[in-house]
């Protein structure tokens, strides 16, 4: 079933569909409202109309997201959510909300930026509550029991993802790179009632396989072009872990076990791996990456950059320097999304693999 | 802090700086630029401004070790630092200075050689380039003890200052100002006030000084009065002909950015205001033949300020207002010593770049009406996403609602490698023609 078919089905089941721009948002709250968050990262579209709103130096994540709306591909959605990720998404939210005349609610979610202090925690907690109040206006009252249930479900999901990532990092998970990210990324639109069984099946099938061989880690925003994953498979290289904004950086945390669901969600946010879009100090990012490298005996890191992505591009030089100092090779891919795998890129990846093999 | 360095700093402040300024002034008198027939007499205050800023950068060379030093972003609530006697350096102002001296690409290249992508904000690249190479037209910038930023102007400053914090291993204070998507909530205000409260012990530790509330309030008042006066300076351009141009304002905003909260800024703007009022009384315009009045959107193109100033004056067009220069006056009425931290939170979080585009549209409409603007020049600045994203929509809406014609110039604030003279000329010629219809 395609993503679109799945979402249409969800809608038929009476669920609201909320299009969500990158990156951090309390998905459990949407689930509790019987809504399905459909994340918008790299829809397979040609950029056309978005160029009338956004300059050539704006990243293709922002452009493709806008393009999706302009081309009417988001008509199925009941609302849009813009987390405060970067300056581009911030202003894009305002363009969409203020000027596109969409007849659907637009939500905005501001999360506190590091360095975190006590005020950050209090603020995040209050932001969750006001997000709920905002949603209640459109979707009716929140069922407290349902929120508790969805937060627990989120914990369960996080535990499975951690197990999968751990096995993969140790080389005990047999799925190919392409298959791995195809499955993990389905979490960007599947309802947890469907995603959890899918992941459990995936875990059962792939556990214990022989995944030794050269290992690399992916850092950056998202694995696009995805064809690189297949190329790495062909070259016998395993992606052992990632620090991607759309994957590991949001998925791999030890969830908070508080009784109060809002407290638990707050703990989750602050327990997530460090991220530039949350202004995490560079030391934390560097150390996190080095730890991942050590844990999986990785020989190379591929930085999957989206062209013009200011938040990530500021962190990369320090991360590259630290990785190189640790004796690990680096490859930086800085591209517009959906451009496929060029001959030049293939050659660069092959040369990189040769170096680490 | 070191005693020797303090003595040296104080000596330079009281004796060295005045002497150096005196020499500079004497040297300056000899050079005379040929007057441009399209302009009115130049502002007399310009020399005083130069003295103030030269002194500021000159003294900064001796500040390290004598006074606690902070590098600060243009939109950060500096009033909180002043009671601790920090010597404040504004890398954005330094970046603008480098840009105006056409040093942007040179310093940016240093950062690029170290892996900083050419697409990043060029103020940041200049600063990182300066940090890595020590190159600067001001002699030397003091090493900071603390970094102080607010993301009320952009998120970029936080990414940039994190790099510095990582390199220098010094504390980084971020004043996180939630973006005003619909409206600033009480929750946002409480969060910002708490942050300011949490910063005080850190500032006490770094500076070795206790927070003095009375001093803080005096500084708030000074900062408020300076911003008000700056607002009045800008408002003189409502007069026809305007006694100054926005290109003058780009230069004269240095004290409100870099010396806010210090008596020298207030004194300066009072003197400037007096001069401008006198020009109004005497009917003196910044340009001789002000036929059309324009508005500028976005930060200046620092390496083109003089060229553009001449070009537009030749066409009898004067820039009389800008969203950019207005930013240091726009929200100051919120400042209130009865509610110091809360009012600071409002003052700083409600600035134009931390607001949704509808707010910006409203502001532009108001400025267009109040300043009797005939046309708009939009600088699409590659460096600055928060200022630039949305400009195409604003352009369209201002045309639809007020019939104001506009032109977009693709450029960058300091990195002239992102600027095409030919393309800009073509666009401006079409704009000039359109303005005559
Ligand atoms: S790719 Fe970078 S700049 Fe683009 S939306 Fe994501 S975080 Fe923002
Ligand atoms: S130019 Fe724009 S992005 Fe750069 S520091 Fe200034 S406000 Fe931030």
């Amino acid at each position: 079933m395609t993503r679109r078919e799945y979402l249409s089905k969800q809608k038929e089941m009476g669920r609201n569909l909320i299009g969500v721009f990158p990156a951090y948002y309390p998905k459990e709250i949407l689930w509790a409202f019987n809504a399905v968050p459909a994340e918008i990262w790299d829809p397979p579209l040609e950029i056309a109309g978005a160029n009338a709103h956004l300059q050539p130096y704006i990243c293709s994540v922002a452009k493709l997201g806008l393009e999706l709306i302009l081309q009417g591909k988001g008509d199925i959605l009941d609302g849009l959510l813009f987390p405060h990720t970067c300056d581009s998404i911030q202003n894009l939210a305002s363009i969409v909300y203020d000027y596109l005349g969409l007849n659907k609610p637009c939500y905005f979610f501001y999360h506190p930026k590091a360095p975190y202090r006590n005020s950050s925690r209090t603020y995040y907690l209050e932001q969750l509550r006001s997000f709920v109040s905002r949603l209640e206006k459109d979707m009716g009252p929140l069922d407290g029991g349902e929120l508790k249930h969805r937060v627990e479900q989120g914990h369960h999901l996080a535990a499975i993802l951690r197990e999968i990532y751990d096995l993969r990092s140790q080389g005990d998970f047999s799925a190919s790179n392409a298959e791995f990210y195809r499955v993990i990324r389905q979490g960007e639109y599947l309802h947890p009632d469907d995603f959890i069984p899918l992941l459990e099946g995936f875990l059962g099938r792939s556990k214990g396989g022989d995944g030794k061989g050269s290992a690399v880690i992916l850092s950056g925003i998202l694995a696009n072009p995805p064809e690189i994953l297949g190329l790495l498979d062909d070259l016998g290289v395993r992606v052992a872990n990632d620090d991607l904004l759309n994957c590991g950086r949001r998925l791999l945390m030890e969830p908070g076990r508080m009784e109060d669901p809002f407290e638990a969600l707050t703990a989750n946010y602050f327990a997530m791996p460090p991220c530039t879009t949350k202004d995490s100090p560079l030391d934390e990012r560097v150390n996190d990456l080095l730890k991942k490298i050590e844990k999986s005996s990785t020989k190379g890191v591929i930085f999957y950059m989206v062209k013009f992505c200011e938040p990530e591009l500021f962190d990369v030089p320090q991360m590259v320097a630290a990785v190189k100092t640790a004796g690990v090779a680096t490859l930086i891919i800085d591209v517009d999304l959906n451009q496929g795998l060029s001959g030049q890129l293939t050659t660069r990846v092959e040369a990189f693999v040769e170096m680490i093999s | 802090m070191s005693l020797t360095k303090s003595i040296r700093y104080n000596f330079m402040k009281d004796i060295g700086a005045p002497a150096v300024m005196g020499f500079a002034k004497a040297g300056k008198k000899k050079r005379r630029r040929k007057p441009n027939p399209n302009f009115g007499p130049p502002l007399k205050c310009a020399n005083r401004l130069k003295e103030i800023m030269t002194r500021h950068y000159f003294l900064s060379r001796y500040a390290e070790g004598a006074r606690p030093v902070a590098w600060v972003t243009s939109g950060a609530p500096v009033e909180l630092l002043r009671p601790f006697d920090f010597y404040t350096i504004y890398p954005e102002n330094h970046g603008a200075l480098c840009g105006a001296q056409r040093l942007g690409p040179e310093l940016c290249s240093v950062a690029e050689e170290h892996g900083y992508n050419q697409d990043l904000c060029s103020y940041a690249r200049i600063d990182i380039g300066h940090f890595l190479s020590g190159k600067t037209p001001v002699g030397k910038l003091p090493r900071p003890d603390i970094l102080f930023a607010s993301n009320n102007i952009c998120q970029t400053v936080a990414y940039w200052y994190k790099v510095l914090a990582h390199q220098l291993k010094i504390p980084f204070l971020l004043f996180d100002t939630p973006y005003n998507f619909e409206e600033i909530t009480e929750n946002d205000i409480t969060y910002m006030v708490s942050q300011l409260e949490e910063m005080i012990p850190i500032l006490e530790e770094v500076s070795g000084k206790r927070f003095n509330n009375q001093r803080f309030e005096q500084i708030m008042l000074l900062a408020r009065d300076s911003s008000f006066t700056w607002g009045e300076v800008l408002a003189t351009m409502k007069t026809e002909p305007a006694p100054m141009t926005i290109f003058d304002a780009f230069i004269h905003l240095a004290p409100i950015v870099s010396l806010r909260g210090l008596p020298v800024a207030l004194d300066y703007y009072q003197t400037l205001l007096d001069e401008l009022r006198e020009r109004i009384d005497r009917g003196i315009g910044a340009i001789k033949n002000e036929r059309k009045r324009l508005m500028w959107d976005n930060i200046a193109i620092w390496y083109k300020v003089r060229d553009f100033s001449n070009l537009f004056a030749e066409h009898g067009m004067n820039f009389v207002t800008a969203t950019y220069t207005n930013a240091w006056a726009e929200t100051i009425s919120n400042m209130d010593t009865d509610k110091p931290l809360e009012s600071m939170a409002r003052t700083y979080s409600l600035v134009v770049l931390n607001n949704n585009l509808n707010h910006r549209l409203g502001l532009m409409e108001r400025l267009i009406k109040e300043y009797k603007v005939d046309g708009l020049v939009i600088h699409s600045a590659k460096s600055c996403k928060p200022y630039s994203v949305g400009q195409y929509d604003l352009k369209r809406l201002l045309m639809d609602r007020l019939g104001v014609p506009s032109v977009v110039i693709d450029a960058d604030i300091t990195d002239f490698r992102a600027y095409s003279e030919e393309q800009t000329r073509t666009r401006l010629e079409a704009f000039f023609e359109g303005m005559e219809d």
Side-chain angles (χ1 to χ4, degrees):
Chain A
M1 203 187 308
T2 64
R3 172 177 159 132
R4 198 169 179 83
E5 286 162 355
Y6 176 82
L7 291 176
S8 304
K9 262 226 138 99
Q10 292 296 306
K11 197 153 171 130
E12 280 163 25
M13 286 165 67
R15 287 187 172 138
N16 280 313
L17 304 181
I18 306 295
V20 185
F21 278 75
Y24 296 95
Y25 65 101
K27 54 186 185 308
E28 294 84 347
I29 289 181
L30 290 175
W31 297 339
F33 274 102
N34 199 27
V36 181
E39 298 181 7
I40 304 166
W41 289 85
D42 51 352
L45 303 170
E46 281 279 324
I47 295 168
N51 289 330
H53 298 269
L54 300 173
Q55 284 93 334
Y57 47 82
I58 302 306
C59 79
S60 42
V61 170
K63 279 201 175 160
L64 284 166
L66 178 59
E67 194 63 44
L68 179 119
I69 296 168
L70 295 174
Q71 289 191 15
K73 309 266 185 217
D75 289 355
I76 188 180
L77 302 170
D78 300 290
L80 290 165
L81 168 62
F82 296 88
H84 187 266
T85 300
C86 60
D87 289 323
S88 299
I89 296 276
Q90 167 193 294
N91 283 24
L92 176 65
S94 187
I95 292 179
V96 172
Y97 179 59
D98 292 323
Y99 301 135
L100 292 193
L102 292 185
N103 209 4
K104 54 184 73 177
C106 288
Y107 311 101
F108 188 79
F109 188 74
Y110 194 90
H111 41 74
K113 308 296 185 288
Y116 299 126
R117 307 184 193 93
N118 288 339
S119 57
S120 319
R121 280 162 210 280
T122 316
Y123 180 65
Y124 189 81
L125 196 71
E126 288 306 319
Q127 284 298 90
L128 293 178
R129 295 209 167 104
S130 57
F131 184 46
V132 165
S133 314
R134 178 71 189 79
L135 290 170
E136 280 181 327
K137 283 191 190 134
D138 297 319
M139 301 192 204
L142 174 73
D143 175 343
E146 182 65 7
L147 179 62
K148 254 189 143 169
H149 164 61
R150 294 301 174 187
V151 169
E152 275 158 24
Q153 201 174 28
H155 289 170
H156 182 47
L157 183 56
I160 307 172
L161 283 163
R162 273 204 322 281
E163 188 178 348
I164 292 179
Y165 265 82
D166 276 348
L167 289 168
R168 192 153 179 91
S169 136
Q170 289 150 20
D172 296 330
F173 200 79
S174 64
S176 69
N177 301 316
E179 170 74 351
F180 182 80
Y181 284 98
R182 197 187 59 74
V183 173
I184 298 291
R185 288 200 63 188
Q186 287 184 57
E188 288 168 16
Y189 65 92
L190 290 184
H191 188 274
D193 292 353
D194 299 320
F195 190 43
I196 289 176
L198 177 89
L199 279 182
E200 283 170 342
F202 185 47
L203 175 61
R205 273 199 317 279
S206 317
K207 203 176 188 166
D210 178 20
K212 306 282 181 233
S214 291
V216 293
I217 285 179
L218 305 181
S219 185
I221 301 295
L222 73 163
N224 186 308
E227 292 85 352
I228 292 185
L229 300 170
L231 178 61
L232 292 173
D233 283 325
D234 294 344
L235 296 168
V237 173
R238 170 177 58 99
V239 176
N241 208 333
D242 76 65
D243 164 51
L244 294 168
L245 178 59
N246 76 329
C247 290
R249 243 187 273 173
R250 302 184 310 159
L251 306 176
L252 302 178
M253 81 280 176
E254 187 68 60
R257 294 280 170 204
M258 289 81 179
E259 186 56 26
D260 177 73
F262 290 101
E263 294 277 359
L265 289 177
T266 303
N268 289 356
Y269 174 74
F270 292 100
M272 282 179 194
C275 175
T276 181
T277 72
K278 295 192 289 183
D279 291 346
S280 303
L282 262 159
D283 289 348
E284 288 181 16
R285 276 210 81 189
V286 165
N287 292 339
D288 186 68
L289 185 59
L290 291 177
K291 239 189 264 161
K292 286 191 169 109
I293 290 173
E294 197 185 299
K295 211 169 137 192
S296 51
S297 318
T298 304
K299 296 204 189 122
V301 177
I302 299 177
F303 292 87
Y304 247 121
M305 308 302 298
V306 176
K307 206 162 165 40
F308 305 116
C309 173
E310 193 126 318
E312 197 65 15
L313 285 169
F314 267 102
D315 278 12
V316 163
Q318 316 283 328
M319 296 185 48
V320 166
V323 169
K324 281 190 174 154
T325 308
V328 173
T330 58
L331 173 69
I332 301 177
I333 298 168
D334 179 21
V335 290
D336 280 326
L337 297 176
N338 299 344
Q339 297 303 304
L341 190 58
S342 65
Q344 197 201 22
L345 200 47
T346 307
T347 314
R348 287 182 62 211
V349 174
E350 284 169 349
F352 174 74
V353 168
E354 213 163 278
M355 202 158 69
I356 60 169
S357 300
Chain B
M1 298 293 116
S2 130
L3 184 62
T4 335
K5 287 186 175 165
S6 291
I7 294 171
R8 191 176 64 153
Y9 173 81
N10 284 321
F11 175 80
M12 283 302 171
K13 182 162 80 74
D14 300 333
I15 296 167
V20 169
M21 295 311 112
F23 288 140
K25 222 172 170 179
K28 181 88 189 118
K29 274 184 195 144
K30 288 180 201 131
R31 277 186 279 137
R32 266 260 160 90
R33 195 171 276 133
K34 220 173 100 204
N36 182 324
N38 298 315
F39 290 99
L43 287 168
K44 286 182 247 155
C45 260
N47 288 337
R48 174 73 187 126
L49 173 71
K50 191 150 193 204
E51 264 170 45
I52 291 172
M53 293 315 293
T54 309
R55 181 178 185 276
H56 170 65
Y57 279 113
F58 173 78
L59 267 187
S60 78
R61 297 181 205 173
Y62 304 96
E64 202 176 309
R67 286 175 59 179
V69 175
W71 284 14
V72 187
T73 60
S74 61
V78 69
E79 294 80 0
L80 197 69
L81 297 190
R82 300 255 182 249
F84 300 100
D85 207 26
F86 278 94
Y87 202 98
T88 51
I89 292 293
Y90 282 76
E92 290 154 77
N93 177 258
H94 177 250
L97 207 127
C98 295
Q101 298 194 19
R102 298 185 66 83
L103 294 169
E106 185 185 335
L107 282 160
C108 286
S109 304
V110 179
E112 287 155 24
E113 280 156 22
H114 285 78
Y116 293 91
N117 195 294
Q118 200 174 331
D119 297 324
L120 296 175
C121 164
S122 66
Y123 278 167
R125 276 180 292 140
I126 286 183
D127 190 48
I128 294 170
H130 149 263
F131 173 76
L132 294 167
S133 67
K135 283 186 200 161
T136 161
V138 302
K140 179 182 179 284
L141 290 182
R143 204 185 131 97
D145 299 297
I146 197 162
L147 299 157
F148 188 45
S150 174
N151 53 0
N152 58 351
I153 52 167
C154 62
Q155 307 313 307
T156 298
V157 288
Y159 315 141
W160 158 15
Y161 277 41
K162 276 192 311 167
V163 171
L164 297 174
H166 181 72
Q167 296 275 351
L168 288 159
K169 310 274 174 258
I170 55 172
F172 166 39
L173 288 188
L174 175 72
F175 182 48
D176 181 20
T177 51
Y179 178 69
N180 187 1
F181 182 65
E182 281 179 308
E183 57 184 353
I184 293 283
T185 63
E186 279 313 307
N187 187 26
D188 297 331
I189 297 289
T190 309
Y191 171 47
M192 288 185 274
V193 169
S194 309
Q195 289 180 69
L196 294 171
E197 286 166 349
E198 286 162 337
M199 285 175 192
I200 292 174
I202 305 171
L203 293 169
E204 287 184 327
E205 198 186 320
V206 174
S207 67
K209 281 203 165 68
R210 300 280 302 175
F211 181 65
N212 179 333
N213 200 40
Q214 214 182 342
R215 212 156 157 235
F216 174 54
E217 287 184 8
Q218 285 164 356
I219 288 160
M220 278 182 73
L221 292 175
L222 263 177
R224 191 195 61 183
D225 292 349
S226 308
S227 283
F228 267 134
T229 317
W230 172 245
E232 286 183 84
V233 163
L234 295 176
T236 62
M237 285 187 280
K238 287 181 187 169
T239 315
E240 294 175 82
M244 73 190 286
T245 83
I246 220 63
F247 297 115
D248 296 318
F250 286 160
I251 311 297
H252 288 264
L253 65 73
I256 197 64
V257 176
S258 305
L259 304 169
R260 204 163 62 250
L262 297 177
V264 64
L266 179 57
D267 286 353
Y268 178 69
Y269 289 123
Q270 277 165 345
T271 315
L272 175 61
L273 185 60
D274 289 346
E275 185 183 343
L276 292 167
R277 285 185 172 154
E278 194 196 315
R279 283 167 78 107
I280 291 174
D281 290 345
R282 293 171 53 205
I284 298 174
I287 69 168
K288 285 257 175 71
N289 178 22
E290 183 185 285
R291 295 184 307 107
K292 300 279 180 189
R293 295 161 63 82
L294 305 179
M295 175 158 80
W296 179 271
D297 187 48
N298 213 324
I299 300 170
I301 305 175
W302 292 108
Y303 45 90
K304 292 301 286 181
V305 167
R306 186 183 297 280
D307 289 354
F308 277 5
S309 172
N310 291 337
L311 178 70
F312 282 90
E314 249 170 53
H315 286 81
M317 295 185 188
N318 191 18
F319 283 92
V320 292
T321 185
T323 49
Y324 174 49
T325 45
N326 192 59
W328 286 270
E330 194 195 344
T331 63
I332 198 61
S333 55
N334 289 294
M335 196 84 105
D336 177 1
T337 45
D338 287 340
K339 292 177 271 178
L341 298 185
E342 185 188 324
S343 71
M344 292 247 293
R346 290 187 198 280
T347 303
Y348 281 96
S349 64
L350 291 171
V351 294
V352 62
L353 288 183
N354 202 43
N355 258 301
N356 57 65
L357 293 170
N358 251 348
H359 169 275
R360 193 165 346 152
L361 180 67
L363 170 73
M364 290 171 95
E365 283 183 321
R366 184 167 63 73
L367 293 176
I368 287 170
K369 286 180 190 151
E370 285 179 7
Y371 286 77
K372 303 194 194 74
V373 166
D374 306 301
L376 167 65
V377 175
I378 295 171
H379 167 205
S380 168
K382 192 177 167 220
S383 273
C384 193
K385 297 186 172 75
Y387 224 140
S388 302
V389 174
Q391 281 179 317
Y392 292 174
D393 289 87
L394 294 173
K395 175 179 158 58
R396 178 178 49 81
L397 286 157
L398 287 170
M399 186 64 195
D400 290 354
R401 292 190 188 189
L402 301 178
V404 177
S406 53
V407 59
V408 174
I409 300 178
D410 289 310
D412 183 62
I413 50 178
T414 72
D415 188 347
F416 50 81
R417 292 171 296 177
Y419 172 81
S420 155
E421 187 69 49
E422 209 184 309
Q423 187 202 57
T424 309
R425 285 276 163 174
T426 314
R427 286 193 190 168
L428 286 180
E429 269 159 29
F431 176 69
F432 291 145
E433 257 172 49
M435 289 291 289
E436 301 303 340
D437 291 343

